[in-house]
Amino acid sequence: MGMAGSLQAVLASAASFFVIISIVSIIILLCRSTKIPTHPIRRTRKRPRTLAVQEPELSISIGESQSFDPSVRLISMEELKIVTKNFSADLIIGDGSFGLVYKATLSCGLTVAIKKLDRDAFQGFREFRAEMETLGKLRHPNIVKILGYCISGQDRVLIYEFLERGSLYQWIHESADVAGSEQLEKPVPLTWETRMSVVRDIANGLAYLHGLDTPIIHRDIKASNVLLDKGFEAHIADFGLARWIDGSHSHVSTQVAGTMGYMPPEYKDGATMATVKADVYSFGILMIEIATGKSPHWPMVLKDKEVGLAHWARKMVEEGEEMKMVDPNVQREELDEIKVKEYFRIACRCTSDISRDRPTIREVVDLLNQNWYVKLDISANVEEV
């Protein structure tokens, strides 16, 4: 009986010990969870939520709008929805990279082009950043002017000047609908002089970009990214892939950017560094496209063999067939054979397979000016819109 009492006493003591240990452990854990931080918490005013776009160093406030033109006041998303009829398909005038473009008239009476970026396109945020950093600061007669932008929730909208004649691609390859929703018929095929004037405008705009203190590589020069105003003056547009570059005139990139048919051959060999010479190559392809009316998206047939547009052009030039290359819609009496030959010679230099053999765009401007020194008359393609 005494032994049983001793055993009970031992068990009771052990139980009490474990209970005390458990209580102490809980107290320690509670103290640790409420430990006062070494650095005091800073009490700050609640700030608007921001969205980081592509690169972490840039953030854009939700509900933000900005105007880059003093003549245009800040525009809300509510107004943009009203003037576009909630972004109605009836007002679409183009399909830019990562978004649709609408024609609309603001309450102040100004007609503008409005690009609404795709919500589900991650690259759309990158394009938004690129266009903000470039177009908002650029002022040149051959660069499309951005008037402002607006952000609301996940919606991002860019507001541009409206250019009446639409894209160069439409005038080269399509027969109607060159003025947006007004559905105007193309009056006549572009004259040779108008085409040459457009080429020089594009070259001047590109020379401006490459000649900045911190040059800009456009990286997507093509017919659909050139817009024409009422007088057929050309404006380079769509800077979604554009990049500022350093003193080496190159931009390090982890992936190839551009449009098939316009991209230089070094990209096919695995090079991803963007350079000014890549823009020159794309411009050379565009020169050939403008003069011939042939799309770089489709292969050319040369002696029963399919080749690219640049290869076809070089072979035709080698054989002295430049006059046969000109778009059949161009009146032959407009053409000066010597100037036509020189034009295609310049284009072939721009599209050299070897990057270092291509001229700079400033050299191209000089060559074009030498070839067309006399002021061009493009009135044949100008009519009231």
Side-chain angles (χ1 to χ4, degrees):
M1 183 72 178
M3 183 177 293
S6 298
L7 180 60
Q8 289 178 355
V10 171
L11 293 174
S13 298
S16 298
F17 176 76
F18 284 118
V19 170
I20 292 172
I21 292 297
S22 299
I23 292 173
V24 171
S25 298
I26 292 172
I27 292 173
I28 292 173
L29 290 173
L30 289 173
C31 288
R32 285 181 176 178
S33 65
T34 58
K35 185 177 180 180
I36 298 175
T38 302
H39 302 287
I41 299 174
R42 297 177 61 187
R43 301 296 178 184
T44 59
R45 186 178 299 176
K46 189 174 181 181
R47 301 176 62 184
R49 184 168 62 91
T50 59
L51 176 67
V53 293
Q54 193 66 25
E55 289 80 0
E57 70 271 13
L58 178 76
S59 60
I60 300 177
S61 299
I62 297 301
E64 177 184 351
S65 64
Q66 183 172 346
S67 171
F68 295 110
D69 190 309
S71 64
V72 179
R73 61 175 176 75
L74 292 180
I75 303 169
S76 68
M77 187 64 73
E78 288 70 25
E79 178 177 348
L80 293 178
K81 288 181 178 179
I82 292 173
V83 299
T84 61
K85 301 178 182 178
N86 201 22
F87 298 99
S88 169
D90 295 338
L91 298 179
I92 294 175
I93 57 173
D95 184 1
S97 59
F98 315 123
L100 297 174
V101 182
Y102 303 80
K103 178 185 177 182
T105 301
L106 302 177
S107 58
C108 63
L110 180 65
T111 299
V112 296
I114 298 172
K115 180 194 282 189
K116 186 170 186 274
L117 301 183
D118 295 332
R119 286 188 177 188
D120 56 352
F122 180 75
Q123 286 180 316
F125 299 135
R126 180 171 186 168
E127 187 215 17
F128 188 86
R129 175 181 184 267
E131 299 219 28
M132 290 305 95
E133 290 187 347
T134 53
L135 285 182
K137 301 176 181 179
L138 303 181
R139 289 295 179 267
H140 187 273
N142 300 122
I143 302 293
V144 70
K145 182 190 295 184
I146 183 170
L147 305 177
Y149 70 86
C150 186
I151 303 172
S152 178
Q154 293 299 307
D155 290 330
R156 279 148 184 73
V157 176
L158 298 172
I159 305 159
Y160 300 94
E161 63 177 332
F162 175 71
L163 297 171
E164 296 87 346
R165 299 288 182 177
S167 79
L168 176 61
Y169 180 90
Q170 293 170 305
W171 284 87
I172 296 175
H173 300 292
E174 298 176 5
S175 59
D177 193 19
V178 296
S181 60
E182 297 176 11
Q183 302 288 315
L184 296 179
E185 293 294 323
K186 185 184 336 185
V188 292
L190 292 178
T191 66
W192 180 255
E193 289 184 342
T194 301
R195 295 176 197 233
M196 297 305 100
S197 180
V198 166
V199 167
R200 294 170 70 192
D201 288 344
I202 301 168
N204 284 326
L206 202 51
Y208 166 76
L209 296 176
H210 290 187
L212 293 170
D213 291 340
T214 303
I216 295 175
I217 310 175
H218 187 279
R219 301 208 299 172
D220 201 20
I221 295 294
K222 59 182 178 180
S224 57
N225 282 345
V226 175
L227 303 179
L228 304 178
D229 64 19
K230 191 173 183 178
F232 284 90
E233 186 172 13
H235 304 251
I236 299 174
D238 208 330
F239 283 68
L241 297 176
R243 294 294 177 268
W244 302 94
I245 61 177
D246 57 25
S248 67
H249 283 197
S250 66
H251 168 81
V252 177
S253 177
T254 57
Q255 60 183 5
V256 170
T259 300
M260 293 299 296
Y262 295 91
M263 292 190 295
E266 55 263 30
Y267 284 3
K268 298 176 184 178
D269 298 331
T272 59
M273 182 176 291
T275 68
V276 290
K277 291 300 185 72
D279 271 356
V280 171
Y281 182 90
S282 300
F283 174 76
I285 293 293
L286 183 54
M287 282 185 68
I288 299 171
E289 180 180 8
I290 291 171
T292 65
K294 300 184 184 300
S295 172
H297 302 302
W298 301 101
M300 301 295 297
V301 177
L302 189 65
K303 296 181 179 179
D304 298 326
K305 182 181 179 180
E306 290 187 349
V307 297
L309 187 62
H311 180 81
W312 170 80
R314 283 196 293 270
K315 289 297 183 183
M316 293 291 284
V317 169
E318 288 174 6
E319 297 174 6
E321 301 288 359
E322 292 89 348
M323 296 297 286
K324 293 182 179 179
M325 298 169 65
V326 177
D327 188 337
N329 288 314
V330 173
Q331 299 297 319
R332 267 27 196 182
E333 56 268 23
E334 296 183 59
L335 302 178
D336 180 320
E337 184 171 356
I338 294 177
K339 291 184 177 182
V340 171
K341 287 179 177 291
E342 176 63 11
Y343 176 90
F344 283 115
R345 188 188 72 82
I346 297 170
C348 287
R349 283 190 61 191
C350 291
T351 55
S352 172
D353 287 339
I354 302 173
S355 176
R356 64 176 177 271
D357 290 343
R358 299 168 202 155
T360 66
I361 195 63
R362 174 49 59 188
E363 291 172 333
V364 172
V365 169
D366 292 341
L367 290 170
L368 290 174
N369 287 337
Q370 291 170 17
N371 201 28
W372 283 275
Y373 182 78
V374 180
K375 180 177 175 60
L376 301 179
D377 177 11
I378 61 173
S379 59
N381 277 116
V382 178
E383 66 172 26
E384 292 298 321
V385 176

